[in-house]
């Protein structure tokens, strides 16, 4: 519940308000630290040429990322798309899954499940899990199952070799934020994203999530 990081998009860099040692101008180093990835992967995520070394500002990266998103939406073709398992069912009032969402302080659950494409597995490998899809456009790329029965394994992703893209490589709620808004929040975890995005959209506040 503590928020210590600040990012200056005009080129002054980033820093931690709690520790003066945690600051710098390199967005690559920031990505490495936040996502726990290698330098090479951070350069790739940032959309930079491998020959470039730690640019001082975020403007160039922001432009490249927006360019990549635009290209991805218009021309990128995935080799395959997925289909939900037969045991994934529509969430109905009175279901354990419906009750679970109420316990998590969600209202308008029927609309919630429609907006985020949620379903419920009563049997199979994802039994007793809320199914949260990861989509770009009309392509289903993967999903994760959130336990509703107190399992120690709270989240179970679809296996990487069965996914088009691993959930950890996709921004959750990509499609909904394309509708635009005034504020974009980047969060960790699908439930926080749904809560903020669902109730914030009327105020032009949208959210995406890292896994």
């Amino acid at each position: 519940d503590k928020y210590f990081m600040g990012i200056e998009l005009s080129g002054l860099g980033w820093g931690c308000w709690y520790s003066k040692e945690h600051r710098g101008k390199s967005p690559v180093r920031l990505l490495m630290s936040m996502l726990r990835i290698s330098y090479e992967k951070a350069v790739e995520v940032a959309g930079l040429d491998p020959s470039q070394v730690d640019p001082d500002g975020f403007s160039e990266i922001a432009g490249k990322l927006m360019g990549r998103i635009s290209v991805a939406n218009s021309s990128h073709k995935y080799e395959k798309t997925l289909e939900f398992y037969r045991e994934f069912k529509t969430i109905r009032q009175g279901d354990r899954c419906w009750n679970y969402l109420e316990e998590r302080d969600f209202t308008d659950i029927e609309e919630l499940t429609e907006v985020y494409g949620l379903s419920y597995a009563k049997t199979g490998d994802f039994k007793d899990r809320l199914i949260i899809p990861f989509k770009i456009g009309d392509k289903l790329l993967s999903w994760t199952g959130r336990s509703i029965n107190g399992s120690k394994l709270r989240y179970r992703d679809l296996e990487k070799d069965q996914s088009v893209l691993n959930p950890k490589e996709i921004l959750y709620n990509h499609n909904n934020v394309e509708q635009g808004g005034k504020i974009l929040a980047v969060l960790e975890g699908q439930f926080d994203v749904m809560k903020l995005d669902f109730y914030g959209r009327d105020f032009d506040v949208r959210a995406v999530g890292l896994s």
Side-chain angles (χ1 to χ4, degrees):
D1 296 327
K2 297 179 175 63
Y3 305 93
F4 293 141
M5 188 178 74
I7 299 177
E8 173 52 62
L9 298 180
S10 65
L12 297 179
W14 50 270
C16 174
W17 300 330
Y18 184 77
S19 172
K20 293 183 179 180
E21 296 178 1
H22 300 157
R23 60 182 55 191
K25 289 188 176 182
S26 165
V28 174
R29 186 157 65 88
L30 179 61
L31 287 169
M32 290 172 64
S33 178
M34 291 181 62
L35 303 180
R36 298 178 182 178
I37 57 178
S38 67
Y39 175 84
E40 291 75 17
K41 184 64 177 177
V43 170
E44 177 185 343
V45 170
L48 295 173
D49 186 284
S51 64
Q52 293 180 267
V53 180
D54 286 4
D56 288 336
F58 281 79
S59 299
E60 181 179 1
I61 284 185
K64 288 179 178 291
L65 284 173
M66 293 308 296
R68 286 174 59 196
I69 292 171
S70 176
V71 170
N73 289 342
S74 62
S75 63
H76 187 69
K77 303 297 182 182
Y78 298 102
E79 293 181 0
K80 62 177 181 177
T81 187
L82 303 178
E83 293 185 3
F84 283 131
Y85 294 163
R86 290 184 178 181
E87 58 263 33
F88 293 177
K89 305 298 182 183
T90 301
I91 299 172
R92 305 290 187 188
Q93 189 168 8
D95 283 344
R96 290 180 62 193
C97 198
W98 183 290
N99 296 336
Y100 173 79
L101 290 169
E102 286 186 331
E103 291 171 2
R104 296 293 299 262
D105 296 324
F106 284 101
T107 56
D108 303 319
I109 295 175
E110 186 173 351
E111 183 179 1
L112 177 81
T113 59
E114 181 179 348
V115 170
Y116 300 102
L118 307 177
S119 56
Y120 172 37
K122 296 185 178 181
T123 60
D125 293 339
F126 287 85
K127 180 180 178 180
D128 290 335
R129 291 183 181 273
L130 173 72
I131 306 302
I132 304 171
F134 288 77
K135 300 180 71 174
I136 293 181
D138 61 352
K139 303 293 186 180
L140 176 61
L141 305 180
S142 191
W143 62 75
T144 190
R146 207 301 181 183
S147 172
I148 65 170
N149 65 359
S151 170
K152 291 183 179 179
L153 182 63
R154 291 191 300 167
Y155 288 93
R156 178 177 180 177
D157 292 343
L158 180 66
E159 295 295 334
K160 186 174 182 179
D161 60 357
Q162 297 176 6
S163 301
V164 179
L165 284 177
N166 189 298
K168 293 178 175 57
E169 300 173 342
I170 310 170
L171 277 178
Y172 176 65
N173 202 37
H174 171 279
N175 285 354
N176 286 325
V177 300
E178 281 197 315
Q179 300 170 16
K182 294 181 179 178
I183 297 174
L184 175 65
V186 182
L187 309 174
E188 182 179 1
Q190 292 81 44
F191 265 95
D192 287 345
V193 170
M194 286 190 288
K195 183 66 69 70
L196 180 57
D197 190 76
F198 189 64
Y199 296 107
R201 56 191 176 153
D202 289 340
F203 304 95
D204 283 333
V205 177
R206 308 310 302 252
V208 294
L210 306 173
S211 298

